[in-house]
Amino acid sequence: MTFKSWITRALAITLVVPTLACQVDEGDLDAAEDATDADDEDDDEDDDDDEFRLFCPIFPGSAPTPDVNGSLAGAPQSVTHEGAGTGNACDRFTLGVASPSGHRAHEVTFGGAYLANSVDAVVGVWARSCTSGGMPLCTTWASIPVEPGQDQAEIVDCDGELLPGVPICVIAGVATLPANNTYTEVRAGIRVETGGGTSQPAMITISE
């Protein structure tokens, strides 16, 4: 073997071996792509599950403008109203109540029942104190926590059935304000959506 042919053969081996070592079975590629697609789908599903709540935040120090205004002053011991968001973004239906001295709000309840197996809700309660007079001074809005009501583990419970084969979702939430609170304004908002993104009516009650 001449020197020239030895060099030619050595170069051929050098080029072929790495090429063979880097060959990947197409079946492995398909499996990897399927796994990646599945992960992407799972991520998309997780994003869809979280989207409604992530896009409806409660900002500290602020409260949505009420759709309905009421007052606890006088004979009423509670103000109750039912309504729905506009269907736009995360607009909540909001009830606002004036609670002057001697008629302080102490409880806010949310409720609703829906013949569906996929319903979600976001709720919020805000309260602040304002001085009386022509130019009142107000504190910033405090966010009041809302807990599940009616013996529910979650505010939204979609595990029940109205009748066999007829799924039902129940919304039940309650916010309790301190017994000695001085809040002169209380607002409560709720948005209920079906799995298809349609806004549904729900009940809000603010009580002394």
Side-chain angles (χ1 to χ4, degrees), residues 70-80 97-100 102-105 205-208:
S71 175
L72 292 178
Q77 298 299 305
S78 65
V79 173
T80 302
V97 167
S99 54
H103 298 280
R104 302 300 191 198
T205 300
I206 303 177
S207 307
E208 289 191 46

Side-chain angles (χ1 to χ4, degrees), residues 113-117 157-163 166-170:
Y114 309 88
L115 296 178
N117 57 9
D157 182 356
C158 289
D159 293 332
E161 288 186 336
L162 180 65
L163 297 170
V166 182
I168 187 170
C169 291
V170 176

Side-chain angles (χ1 to χ4, degrees), residues 49-76:
D49 292 341
D50 292 338
E51 183 177 10
F52 182 44
R53 294 184 183 278
L54 289 176
F55 277 77
C56 294
I58 294 176
F59 297 106
S62 65
T65 302
D67 299 290
V68 175
N69 285 290
S71 175
L72 292 178

